Amino acid sequence: MSQDATDAVLAAIRFDANGLVPAIAQQHDTGEVLMMAWMNAESVAETLATGRVCYYSRSRQALWRKGETSGQTQHLRDLRVDCDGDTLLLLVHQDGVACHTGRRNCFFLAVRDGALVEIAKPEVSPETLYGQPHHGHGHG
Amino acid sequence: MSQDATDAVLAAIRFDANGLVPAIAQQHDTGEVLMMAWMNAESVAETLATGRVCYYSRSRQALWRKGETSGQTQHLRDLRVDCDGDTLLLLVHQDGVACHTGRRNCFFLAVRDGALVEIAKPEVSPETLYGQPHHGHGHG
């Protein structure tokens, strides 16, 4: 991605008071919504430069290169900015699973028969992904 | 939706310091990501009770019944809570267009040939949707 393109994207984004913008990751070919996380200007620029999705972890207050620990990398296919510049849609190819629980996507809780239940099972264990029981949430 | 189910959903959501949670709206059958907006507890409860999506407008600081002015209603098909309870995915049927610009979805800005360009055209004019030129953004 050229510097001009990166500058154009950054100029179109209305980062919030904390310098962040929510980013939705969607599997580019199936349409599955994988997760939502946050980006700052540096993570947007790095993502465009490398083609690998980099978020900003609010809990760790640091860049979060998706898959750096778990190997579950997201490869950027396209980046979309919404009408008012305050949300991004990332079309990606997800290696493996997006969710730190080992599920393909993070949106596995739904109401069935009057209760909130899990509608998807882990495809891999968090121990396999992280080498040890994973504490805390994955989205910063 | 039963009160028990509504209570279960509300208990699972980690609203932010402003009492809000981001909600992604996805067309249930095509997988198209339509928009992202915010909900508070009251708007979540109303959405579950009525089956019509109600957001919270941050700019107007009021409930925002999607389509109330424009007629472009979102009918809830399923509501998903993510792994750490800080994002919702709404599977909906969108009447007409989701975006206040008259486009089907809000994510119509993308990088092409080094510049940020519009990759979708309005299907209806904002004047048709709102009766007059529409100022300000649609997502509160």
Side-chain angles (χ1 to χ4, degrees):
Chain A
M1 182 80 49
S2 69
Q3 188 61 48
D4 281 355
T6 299
D7 290 347
V9 169
L10 290 176
I13 299 173
R14 298 195 317 164
F15 293 99
D16 70 12
N18 297 311
L20 302 177
V21 63
I24 302 160
Q26 181 181 34
Q27 174 67 29
H28 71 101
D29 48 2
T30 65
E32 180 179 10
V33 175
L34 299 166
M35 58 182 284
M36 198 283 277
W38 296 79
M39 304 181 94
N40 64 1
E42 188 179 358
S43 68
V44 171
E46 176 172 316
T47 296
L48 291 172
T50 66
R52 294 189 176 203
V53 178
C54 175
Y55 298 104
Y56 179 81
S57 168
R58 295 179 301 172
S59 56
R60 287 184 277 115
Q61 300 191 336
L63 292 182
W64 165 28
R65 297 177 178 93
K66 177 71 177 165
E68 192 172 41
T69 306
S70 66
Q72 314 298 292
T73 306
Q74 289 179 346
H75 305 269
L76 188 72
R77 291 288 191 271
D78 203 10
L79 181 147
R80 308 268 171 86
V81 181
D82 83 338
C83 52
D84 49 10
D86 67 4
T87 307
L88 303 181
L89 177 64
L90 311 176
L91 299 179
V92 304
H93 176 70
Q94 172 70 56
D95 286 341
V97 299
C99 185
H100 74 288
T101 66
R103 292 173 178 84
R104 174 72 181 170
N105 74 67
C106 296
F107 299 97
F108 56 83
L109 297 170
V111 175
R112 298 290 182 268
D113 298 325
L116 199 65
V117 299
E118 298 181 356
I119 59 169
K121 292 185 185 304
E123 300 184 8
V124 293
S125 73
E127 290 77 4
T128 300
L129 290 176
Y130 299 100
Q132 57 182 5
H134 185 65
H135 300 292
H137 57 86
H139 297 168
Chain B
M1 182 78 51
S2 69
Q3 188 60 48
D4 281 355
T6 299
D7 290 347
V9 168
L10 290 176
I13 299 172
R14 298 193 318 163
F15 293 99
D16 70 12
N18 297 313
L20 302 177
V21 63
I24 302 160
Q26 182 181 33
Q27 174 67 29
H28 71 100
D29 48 1
T30 65
E32 181 180 9
V33 176
L34 299 166
M35 57 181 286
M36 199 283 278
W38 295 80
M39 303 180 94
N40 65 0
E42 188 179 357
S43 68
V44 171
E46 177 171 316
T47 297
L48 292 172
T50 66
R52 295 190 175 202
V53 178
C54 174
Y55 297 104
Y56 179 81
S57 167
R58 295 179 301 173
S59 57
R60 287 184 279 117
Q61 301 191 336
L63 293 182
W64 165 28
R65 296 178 178 92
K66 177 71 178 165
E68 192 172 42
T69 306
S70 65
Q72 315 296 292
T73 307
Q74 289 180 345
H75 305 269
L76 187 71
R77 290 287 192 269
D78 204 9
L79 181 148
R80 307 270 170 84
V81 181
D82 84 339
C83 53
D84 49 7
D86 66 4
T87 307
L88 303 181
L89 177 63
L90 311 176
L91 299 178
V92 305
H93 175 71
Q94 172 71 56
D95 285 342
V97 298
C99 186
H100 75 289
T101 65
R103 292 171 178 86
R104 173 71 182 172
N105 75 67
C106 296
F107 299 98
F108 57 82
L109 296 170
V111 175
R112 298 289 181 270
D113 299 323
L116 198 65
V117 300
E118 298 182 356
I119 60 169
K121 292 187 185 301
E123 300 184 8
V124 293
S125 73
E127 290 77 6
T128 301
L129 289 177
Y130 301 99
Q132 56 184 7
H134 186 63
H135 299 292
H137 58 87
H139 297 170

